[in-house]
Amino acid sequence: MSNRRVTVLDYGSGNIHSAVRALERVGADVTLSSKSADVLNADGLLVPGVGAFAAVMQGLKDVDALRMIGRRVAGGRPVLGICVGLQVLFEEGVEHGVRTEGMGEWPGVVERLAAEVVPHMGWNTVEAPAGSNLFKGIEDERFYFVHSYGVQKWDFDVTQPAMNPPQVTWANHGGPFVAAVENGPLSATQFHPEKSGDAGAALLENWLKGLG
C-alpha cells in the first residue's frame, strides 16, 4: 500500500503526538497542521480530542475546523474523529449542566455515563456491526477507553434511498454507549486507537485502506 497522506488536526488537543506516531507506525505520511491546504488536500484527516466537549468545540472553531471538516465530508473525503473528536460530531454535549452545541453530523446528546465508576478507563470489548470496515478482522479485540461522557441513545431515522444508514458499534459501561460510528467518509471512535496496541494499529490500518 502506497503511503496515504494524513493530516492530524492541530488545534491544541492533548493526544496529538501519540496519534501521529500511531499513524506513522502503520505507514501513513503524517502532517500535523491546521492550515487549510493541509486539512483539505490530505487523503485523510484525523481529528483528536481530549478534555471537555465545550473546550474542544472552541478549539475547533478557533482554527476554522468546522468549515474544513464540513467541506471534507461534503466532498466525500475521509475524516476520523477520536474520543471527544467523536463526541463533537453529535448534536450537543451536556457537561455539569451546561449544554454546548456540537457539529450536528449525527443526532444524539453526549451525557455523563450512567455507571457507578466514572471515568470509564481501561480496556473493553465492542460490538461491531456485520460488514464494518474499521473493525474488519478485529471484531473480538479490546480497545482502550478514557472518558466520563458518551452517547447512550442512537436515533437516526433519516432514510434516503441513495444513502446507507450509519454503522454503529457499541460498548458497555454501566449501560450501552456508542463506541464508534462509520458513516460514508466520516468515521469516529470513542476509544483511543493510538493507545490500543496492536488492535488499535489494525483499526488505523483498516481506515488507511479506505483512503484515496
Side-chain angles (χ1 to χ4, degrees):
M1 182 174 63
S2 59
N3 282 10
R4 299 301 191 195
R5 294 179 300 112
V6 176
T7 293
V8 174
L9 186 64
D10 186 6
Y11 68 98
S13 180
N15 63 327
I16 283 178
H17 295 292
S18 57
V20 170
R21 288 194 296 271
L23 285 165
E24 289 175 340
R25 173 188 172 190
V26 295
D29 179 5
V30 185
T31 300
L32 179 60
S33 177
S34 61
K35 294 179 180 177
S36 180
D38 293 330
V39 171
L40 295 175
N41 296 331
D43 296 320
L45 173 68
L46 186 141
V47 182
V50 295
F53 186 104
V56 169
M57 277 300 294
Q58 189 57 54
L60 293 172
K61 290 176 181 176
D62 288 345
V63 298
D64 196 27
L66 304 190
R67 177 188 65 84
M68 294 188 289
I69 293 170
R71 278 190 60 183
R72 284 193 63 92
V73 173
R77 307 296 303 283
V79 176
L80 176 66
I82 289 177
C83 196
V84 188
L86 168 140
Q87 295 178 5
V88 295
L89 293 168
F90 286 84
E91 288 175 321
E92 65 177 355
V94 181
E95 294 187 356
H96 309 296
V98 177
R99 291 183 177 270
T100 303
E101 185 179 356
M103 294 182 64
E105 292 287 345
W106 301 314
V109 180
V110 179
E111 300 176 288
R112 187 172 173 86
L113 295 174
E116 291 183 10
V117 178
V118 174
H120 172 218
M121 182 181 297
W123 298 84
N124 203 347
T125 55
V126 301
E127 297 176 21
S132 165
N133 289 319
L134 280 184
F135 293 94
K136 187 175 183 180
I138 50 173
E139 297 88 350
D140 299 325
E141 296 293 338
R142 296 162 73 87
F143 300 89
Y144 192 79
F145 292 82
V146 184
H147 64 118
S148 299
Y149 296 83
V151 177
Q152 294 155 72
K153 296 177 183 177
W154 176 268
D155 184 19
F156 191 89
D157 58 2
V158 179
T159 54
Q160 299 175 5
M163 189 179 87
N164 292 321
Q167 292 183 303
V168 183
T169 294
W170 294 87
N172 197 293
H173 182 70
F177 66 89
V178 172
V181 182
E182 298 167 70
N183 183 199
L186 185 60
S187 302
T189 66
Q190 177 63 71
F191 56 84
H192 289 272
E194 79 281 8
K195 297 178 181 177
S196 295
D198 290 342
L203 183 138
L204 291 175
E205 196 164 16
N206 284 342
W207 181 64
L208 287 181
K209 288 175 182 176
L211 303 186

